[in-house]
Amino acid sequence: MKTIGLIGGMSWESTAEYYRFLNEFTRDRLGGLHSARCVLYSVDFAEIEQLQVQGRWADAGEILAVAAQSLEAAGADLMLICTNTMHKVADVVEASVSIPLLHLADATADAVRASGLRRVGLLGTAFTMEQDFYRGRLEAGGLDVSIPDPEGRALVHRVIYEELCLGIVRDESRTAYQEVIKDLIAAGAEGIILGCTEIELLIGPGDSPVPVFATARLHAEAAVEAALSGARNDNPTRPACH
């Protein structure tokens, strides 16, 4: 199995989910006591969040590029940025290393297309919903993407930073998100992209009348597929020592 490099900590709540997903998907594929071969560089999200607010994306990109270089030096064969929003600097991160970066928006667009859907609503941080770096990538992948109205966007963004990134999951916030989802469906969305990795802590398939696409889970699944590409599994019941 190739080694997966993770740039995480944004927030650590969802990065922990990435680690769980990677190991669950690896165990499902290989059986026995197999687990994912991976290395993690976890940044201080408080520092990154301040740079986001100040619009200092180049400085944030530099921090993630250093993380990427560290992961490559540690033996990573491919890399994930474990957050949707920071894919704003994906090009900078990718250019800093010689190993491939598996883009989260690409993994998500692939899953939506595979489901046979095209018109989707996007939930995420204000940066992800309103700027082109993510929506544009999805649209380039053949999707028709809609976002909530300004009030809905403000609600979704606030819950992410003030609750979910702190590990706070509130029923009233779930209900509020469901109302935003209903509005997107009324506007024509056939599915909903949970375009912030923390939203999966709050919203699941049972919380929406249309399919939801959980980006952290999809990203991790795509990473395991890529890491196992060309790998042999002669004895899936025999545990591997990593």
Side-chain angles (χ1 to χ4, degrees):
M1 183 177 188
K2 298 171 186 173
T3 300
I4 303 167
L6 307 171
I7 304 177
M10 301 168 284
S11 67
W12 72 261
E13 295 282 349
S14 62
T15 300
E17 290 294 285
Y18 263 88
Y19 184 68
R20 180 171 67 85
F21 291 147
L22 289 172
N23 284 295
E24 287 178 350
F25 289 133
T26 301
R27 181 188 61 200
D28 291 346
R29 282 288 306 273
L30 300 182
L33 297 179
H34 282 286
S35 55
R37 190 185 296 271
C38 60
V39 289
L40 167 66
Y41 189 113
S42 189
V43 303
D44 180 1
F45 189 39
E47 181 180 5
I48 297 295
E49 189 269 343
Q50 282 300 303
L51 295 175
Q52 291 175 345
V53 170
Q54 295 165 11
R56 295 168 57 190
W57 295 100
D59 292 337
E62 192 173 316
I63 292 172
L64 266 60
V66 170
Q69 292 163 359
S70 298
L71 290 171
E72 183 174 28
D77 299 300
L78 66 151
M79 191 169 304
L80 310 181
I81 302 173
C82 301
T83 162
N84 288 274
T85 297
M86 291 311 297
H87 277 72
K88 183 174 175 68
V89 298
D91 290 347
V92 174
V93 175
E94 191 169 28
S96 71
V97 293
S98 61
I99 60 176
L101 172 71
L102 183 57
H103 200 290
L104 205 165
D106 294 344
T108 301
D110 288 346
V112 175
R113 288 195 307 271
S115 74
L117 303 182
R118 187 179 69 86
R119 301 182 67 184
V120 291
L122 172 63
L123 303 181
T125 67
F127 311 111
T128 299
M129 291 186 288
E130 296 171 359
Q131 298 182 21
D132 189 59
F133 71 92
Y134 194 85
R135 286 174 56 194
R137 188 101 174 192
L138 293 173
E139 289 166 351
L143 304 186
D144 180 355
V145 183
S146 59
I147 60 174
D149 61 23
E151 183 179 352
R153 297 199 299 272
L155 167 75
V156 171
H157 182 89
R158 181 191 63 76
V159 169
I160 290 168
Y161 281 94
E162 296 182 10
E163 297 178 19
L164 300 179
C165 286
L166 298 174
I168 300 169
V169 179
R170 292 181 171 146
D171 288 338
E172 54 266 38
S173 295
R174 180 178 296 108
T175 300
Y177 266 51
Q178 288 175 313
E179 290 302 315
V180 175
I181 289 171
K182 287 178 183 177
D183 290 342
L184 288 169
I185 295 170
E190 303 166 320
I192 303 295
I193 292 175
L194 307 182
C196 174
T197 52
E198 281 81 18
I199 295 178
E200 295 166 53
L201 303 173
L202 182 69
I203 297 295
D207 298 311
S208 169
V210 298
V212 296
F213 296 89
T215 53
R217 178 181 291 272
L218 293 171
H219 204 196
E221 186 172 18
V224 169
E225 290 298 319
L228 291 175
S229 176
R232 294 178 59 190
N233 181 31
D234 294 329
N235 186 357
T237 62
R238 180 178 178 179
C241 296
H242 295 165

